[in-house]
Amino acid sequence: MAPEVLVVEDEPDIQALIVHHLTRDGFRCRTAADGAEALARLRSGVPDLVVLDLMLPGMDGLELTRRMRAEPAWAGLPIIMLTAKADEVDRIVGLELGADDYVAKPFSPKELMARVRAVLRRARPADDARAISGGGVVLDPARHRVTVAGVPSELTAKEFYLLHALMAAAGRVLTREVLLNRVWGYAHADTIESRTVDVHVRRLRAKLGAAGRRIATVKSVGYRFESE
Ligand code: CA
C-alpha cells in the first residue's frame, strides 16, 4: 500500500499544495489544520510520516512533536517540520526534539518531495524488498518466504511481518509498542494488545525451530533479533 502522510498545516493554500504534490507522487494523505486536529487524526490511525508546520494556531509544531514523542506508538513516527522562521535555533530545537528533517518556507515542492522520500527510506527499512538473512534464517519479502537452514517455514502473515520487523532491526530492541504499530498498525497499545505480541513471538519461535532462540526477550522492554 502507498505510504500515508499526515499533513499538518493551517494555511489552506499551502496545505492544498502539499497534498497535491504528495498525491501526484502516489502518497495517501490526511490533513489537519491545527495540533488538536492532528492528535485526533493520529489517534484514528498512525501514518507513515508527518509533515508538520511549526507555526500553528494554539499548540505549535514543537509542542505537537513533544507530545508525539511522549507516546510510544508515535515516538518513532518520522516528522518533517516546515518552518517560515529563518531562525537557526528553531530549526535545531525542532531537530533536537526529534523532527527527522526540516524544510524552510518558502519551499519548492520538489525539495519537499525529495525530503519526504529520503526520510521514508531511512525510517522504513522493513519495507525494503531485499532479502534479509541472519542466524540461518533467510526472509525474502518479494517472495514472502522464510527459510531456516534452507528449509521453508510456514508462517502466517502476522508472523512474517513480525519476523521482518525484527530482522530488519537485527541487534536492536523493538518495544512491544513499536511492534504493535509496525505489524498490527495500532496507534495505542494496551496490556491486552501487548500480550498479542508475546503470543505471536512464542508461535514464531516455535515455527523457527532451533533458530527461534535468535529472537531474544529483553525483559520489560521487548524483543531483539540476534544474527550472531
Ligand atoms: Ca502556519
Side-chain angles (χ1 to χ4, degrees):
M1 216 194 292
E4 187 185 71
V5 181
L6 174 63
V7 179
V8 188
E9 167 63 80
D10 57 311
E11 287 153 78
D13 292 354
I14 300 176
Q15 188 192 90
L17 178 77
I18 297 169
V19 168
H20 169 78
H21 283 275
L22 283 168
T23 27
R24 208 184 56 177
D25 277 16
F27 293 98
R28 291 174 299 134
C29 290
R30 283 191 298 157
T31 56
D34 58 45
E37 209 181 347
L39 289 173
R41 297 276 182 279
L42 289 168
R43 281 187 199 105
S44 69
V46 181
D48 296 287
L49 175 102
V50 180
V51 173
L52 175 58
D53 187 29
L54 176 63
M55 300 295 282
L56 292 168
M59 186 195 313
D60 68 11
L62 291 181
E63 177 57 25
L64 184 59
T65 303
R66 227 174 262 130
R67 293 208 191 180
M68 284 170 59
R69 293 312 186 216
E71 279 286 334
W74 307 335
L77 196 46
I79 300 172
I80 296 179
M81 191 87 81
L82 299 177
T83 170
K85 289 186 175 179
D87 200 316
E88 287 301 319
V89 174
D90 275 321
R91 295 180 175 192
I92 293 160
V93 168
L95 292 172
E96 277 180 355
L97 264 174
D100 295 81
D101 207 346
Y102 68 88
V103 176
K105 284 178 169 180
F107 57 87
S108 82
K110 201 177 152 191
E111 188 198 350
L112 177 62
M113 293 307 120
R115 300 291 180 94
V116 165
R117 280 188 294 268
V119 168
L120 279 176
R121 247 194 326 267
R122 287 205 302 269
R124 304 184 74 191
D127 280 2
D128 203 311
R130 279 173 301 182
I132 311 172
S133 61
V137 182
V138 178
L139 182 144
D140 183 350
R143 293 192 186 82
H144 209 86
R145 194 177 125 102
V146 172
T147 57
V148 180
V151 180
S153 245
E154 296 297 323
L155 303 186
T156 64
K158 284 281 183 286
E159 289 160 356
F160 182 88
Y161 292 128
L162 180 59
L163 182 61
H164 194 182
L166 288 165
M167 288 185 77
R172 285 184 286 135
V173 187
L174 295 182
T175 63
R176 289 177 177 81
E177 286 78 7
V178 164
L179 289 167
L180 280 165
N181 179 352
R182 291 202 193 153
V183 180
W184 281 267
Y186 291 161
H188 285 283
D190 60 27
T191 316
I192 294 166
E193 286 162 348
S194 293
R195 261 183 249 135
T196 303
V197 178
D198 300 339
V199 169
H200 279 79
V201 167
R202 209 177 304 139
R203 289 191 194 134
L204 179 57
R205 276 182 183 140
K207 288 189 181 178
L208 296 177
R213 68 186 164 79
R214 296 287 173 182
I215 303 170
T217 304
V218 180
K219 211 169 171 246
S220 349
V221 184
Y223 296 98
R224 178 178 59 218
F225 188 87
E226 293 169 347
S227 305
E228 304 295 321

